[in-house]
């Protein structure tokens, strides 16, 4: 199993450009989420989805858009990139019982490093 | 609103000694889960240990144990017999159930652990 696959691993954008970070999982997980990691701030939840067709905002959703048309895919769209969106982005997925009853342990992708100039 | 606090930005420990990484949390959800993840310098996120809010005993996984004090809302990670490979960033996280079903997980800012030879 590939687990959680994120593409691209690295990306450089200019301010105002748009792009999509791809996330795919092959574990049939219902739950998927996007985080951004910045120094000193840990991982902050951007958007999450509890199943196909259902998405919701996390702690820092502004400037990002998501959709969940299939169980496997959860792309993150940057509508108009800003330097403040320079970060490392992680996609994670889980399902009830992952890691034990009721645990919902997250399986992470390898991360995508985005630089906005 | 739920919150995770890690007050130690950095910690040093001598090889083979034990170390405690602090984590406090705040939530109004009676059914929550607490996690610790490790992020080595390579960047991947590794699940270490899980504690459910209703679990009576502290969780243990090999050299890792979670010191769960529910009344104090703390979930400290104890690493026994530190090894050089334990040098990494450590994140405390909390899963909270949603009224609409499913859950979301948020993270603390992290503690960077340095193990000295």
């Amino acid at each position: 199993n590939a687990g959680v696959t994120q593409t691209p691993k690295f990306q450089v954008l200019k301010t105002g450009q748009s792009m999509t970070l791809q996330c795919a999982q092959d574990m049939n997980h219902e739950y998927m989420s996007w985080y951004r990691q910045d120094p000193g701030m840990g991982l902050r939840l951007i958007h999450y989805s509890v199943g196909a067709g259902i998405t919701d905002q996390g702690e820092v959703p502004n400037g990002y858009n998501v959709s969940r048309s299939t169980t496997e895919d959860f792309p993150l769209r940057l509508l108009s990139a800003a330097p403040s969106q320079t970060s490392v982005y992680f996609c994670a997925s889980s399902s009830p019982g992952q890691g034990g009853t009721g645990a919902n342990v997250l399986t992470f992708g390898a991360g995508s490093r985005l630089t906005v100039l | 609103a739920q919150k995770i606090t890690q007050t130690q930005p950095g910690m040093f420990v001598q090889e083979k000694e034990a170390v405690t990484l602090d984590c406090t949390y705040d939530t109004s959800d009676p059914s929550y889960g607490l996690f610790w993840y490790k992020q080595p310098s390579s960047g991947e996120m590794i699940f270490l240990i899980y504690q459910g809010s209703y679990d009576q005993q502290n969780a243990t996984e090999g050299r890792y144990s979670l010191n769960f004090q529910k009344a104090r809302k703390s979930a400290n990670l104890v690493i026994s017999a530190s090894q050089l490979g334990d040098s990494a960033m450590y994140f405390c996280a909390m899963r909270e159930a949603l009224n609409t079903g499913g859950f979301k997980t948020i993270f603390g800012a992290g503690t960077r652990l340095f193990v000295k030879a």
Side-chain angles (χ1 to χ4, degrees):
Chain A
N1 284 346
V4 178
T5 302
Q6 288 184 235
T7 56
K9 290 192 180 299
F10 301 94
Q11 183 73 49
V12 179
L13 291 178
K14 294 181 179 179
T15 297
Q17 287 184 316
S18 62
M19 76 156 299
T20 300
L21 297 175
Q22 301 290 347
C23 176
Q25 52 91 9
D26 61 359
M27 299 170 285
N28 202 32
H29 284 173
E30 299 161 359
Y31 179 87
M32 297 186 75
S33 54
W34 277 102
Y35 294 88
R36 59 177 289 173
Q37 182 177 12
D38 303 291
M41 306 191 75
L43 280 77
R44 291 182 292 169
L45 183 63
I46 304 172
H47 284 285
Y48 61 97
S49 169
V50 298
I54 306 170
T55 64
D56 206 347
Q57 297 180 351
E59 303 167 283
V60 288
N62 292 342
Y64 306 96
N65 202 0
V66 292
S67 60
R68 184 94 180 271
S69 56
T70 67
T71 299
E72 294 78 20
D73 301 299
F74 191 46
L76 178 72
R77 298 180 184 86
L78 280 70
L79 308 174
S80 177
S84 61
Q85 293 178 304
T86 294
S87 188
V88 178
Y89 291 84
F90 284 96
C91 179
S93 72
S94 185
S95 66
Q98 180 81 0
T101 301
N104 298 109
V105 171
L106 296 174
T107 299
F108 282 85
S112 298
R113 183 175 294 275
L114 175 67
T115 301
V116 182
L117 303 175
Chain B
Q2 57 173 164
K3 186 177 178 181
I4 292 280
T5 303
Q6 294 180 253
T7 58
Q8 306 155 312
M11 289 277 289
F12 286 88
V13 64
Q14 195 67 39
E15 192 179 12
K16 300 181 184 178
E17 292 185 348
V19 63
T20 298
L21 307 184
D22 295 340
C23 174
T24 59
Y25 61 92
D26 187 25
T27 181
S28 56
D29 180 11
S31 177
Y32 54 90
L34 298 158
F35 307 80
W36 281 90
Y37 290 84
K38 173 184 179 181
Q39 186 180 45
S41 57
S42 53
E44 75 264 35
M45 295 289 290
I46 302 168
F47 164 69
L48 294 178
I49 196 166
Y50 166 76
Q51 179 88 38
S53 60
Y54 295 119
D55 293 342
Q56 296 295 317
Q57 292 189 319
N58 288 344
T60 59
E61 290 286 349
R63 294 186 299 110
Y64 305 107
S65 61
L66 197 152
N67 185 0
F68 181 45
Q69 299 189 41
K70 196 169 184 177
R72 294 186 177 184
K73 294 190 175 180
S74 73
N76 298 340
L77 176 70
V78 180
I79 305 174
S80 63
S82 297
Q83 301 172 356
L84 295 178
D86 294 333
S87 293
M89 182 71 87
Y90 290 81
F91 291 102
C92 181
M94 179 171 65
R95 182 211 71 233
E96 186 177 62
L98 302 171
N99 292 333
T100 53
F103 65 94
K104 66 177 180 180
T105 301
I106 64 167
F107 286 75
T111 296
R112 185 167 294 280
L113 178 66
F114 300 91
V115 180
K116 299 182 292 184

